[in-house]
Amino acid sequence: MTRRKPAVRVVEERPFNAETPLASLADPVVPNELFYVRNHFDVPELFVNQWRLTLDGTVADSLELGMEDLQRYPESALEVTMECAGNGRALMEPLPPGVGWAYGAVGTARFTGVSLPVVLGEARPLPDAMEVVFTGADRGRVGPGPVISYAFRISLEQALRSETLLAWAMNGDPLSPDHGFPLRLVVPGLYGMASVKWLTHVRVVT
């Protein structure tokens, strides 16, 4: 008799946010369909043959890359544990604002892609470069404010670590739409919010 796998626990329908079932965290790697989902806005509809990644800013050479271009670089793979900064929020007293996560906003997966320093090396950051801003294709409003794109910045030092990946696959399969298809950033050692999904723009800044 085959044991039925537990489904993700839906925390919000829109934007869709869901937890990994705790039983699945006993395994070294969480299957893609059970890996927690953290979306800030609705999932964008992207087509890999039309998608491009722009890398510009404080660099000697700006780049515009398609998936075929990225996959010509040496491939890297790494098992990474990713966790939402709000994991456990629903069990705090007093209850803070935000998505009501219990303990399932965490999981480990094997991500495959290209080491970010390899691509940054092609663009050649200039001496006064300090940080790198990553922007995704997802857009929406925070409260009554204007429509914005989700973005996150990390230090250039962090971006140049070999384990920081531009990833197109998760546990051996192409990324699903909920997990950032066609390309996401993966930054080991930082909360999941740093690992920007649906990545379209990398900008090196001072």
Side-chain angles (χ1 to χ4, degrees):
M1 180 177 177
T2 301
R3 187 179 65 173
R4 184 178 179 184
K5 290 183 179 179
V8 290
R9 185 181 82 86
V10 177
V11 181
E12 287 184 350
E13 288 287 353
R14 187 170 185 183
F16 183 73
N17 287 287
E19 294 189 352
T20 296
L22 295 184
S24 298
L25 296 178
D27 296 326
V29 169
V30 176
N32 293 355
E33 68 273 15
L34 298 178
F35 200 93
Y36 85 96
V37 177
R38 174 59 169 119
N39 294 328
H40 296 88
F41 305 123
D42 288 340
V43 175
E45 186 178 24
L46 300 176
F47 302 93
V48 71
N49 60 331
Q50 299 172 0
W51 170 88
R52 294 291 183 274
L53 177 69
T54 300
L55 198 164
D56 60 14
T58 309
V59 295
D61 297 301
S62 296
L63 305 175
E64 185 172 300
L65 303 167
M67 186 58 68
E68 289 184 357
D69 301 313
L70 286 169
Q71 292 180 341
R72 292 191 184 103
Y73 292 108
E75 187 175 279
S76 295
L78 189 67
E79 285 186 8
V80 177
T81 298
M82 197 174 291
E83 181 179 23
C84 179
N87 198 26
R89 179 185 288 128
L91 304 172
M92 297 175 70
E93 293 183 9
L95 185 66
V99 178
W101 300 110
Y103 289 135
V106 62
T108 299
R110 184 172 182 82
F111 292 95
T112 302
V114 57
S115 181
L116 177 60
V118 173
V119 183
L120 283 175
E122 293 280 321
R124 295 186 295 153
L126 297 176
D128 55 345
M130 294 292 292
E131 295 181 321
V132 187
V133 181
F134 301 88
T135 303
D138 51 328
R139 293 172 57 79
R141 285 187 169 87
V142 179
V147 174
I148 61 170
S149 297
Y150 182 77
F152 197 89
R153 66 180 181 178
I154 64 175
S155 68
L156 180 61
E157 178 185 7
Q158 179 94 49
L160 290 174
R161 292 178 182 171
S162 61
E163 65 267 24
T164 303
L165 299 181
L166 300 175
W168 53 72
M170 181 177 176
N171 293 331
D173 292 323
L175 293 168
S176 70
D178 265 325
H179 291 298
F181 175 84
L183 190 80
R184 72 174 300 165
L185 180 68
V186 175
V187 189
L190 297 184
Y191 279 118
M193 66 182 114
S195 293
V196 178
K197 299 191 287 187
W198 313 291
L199 191 62
T200 58
H201 196 175
V202 177
R203 186 169 182 83
V204 180
V205 298
T206 57

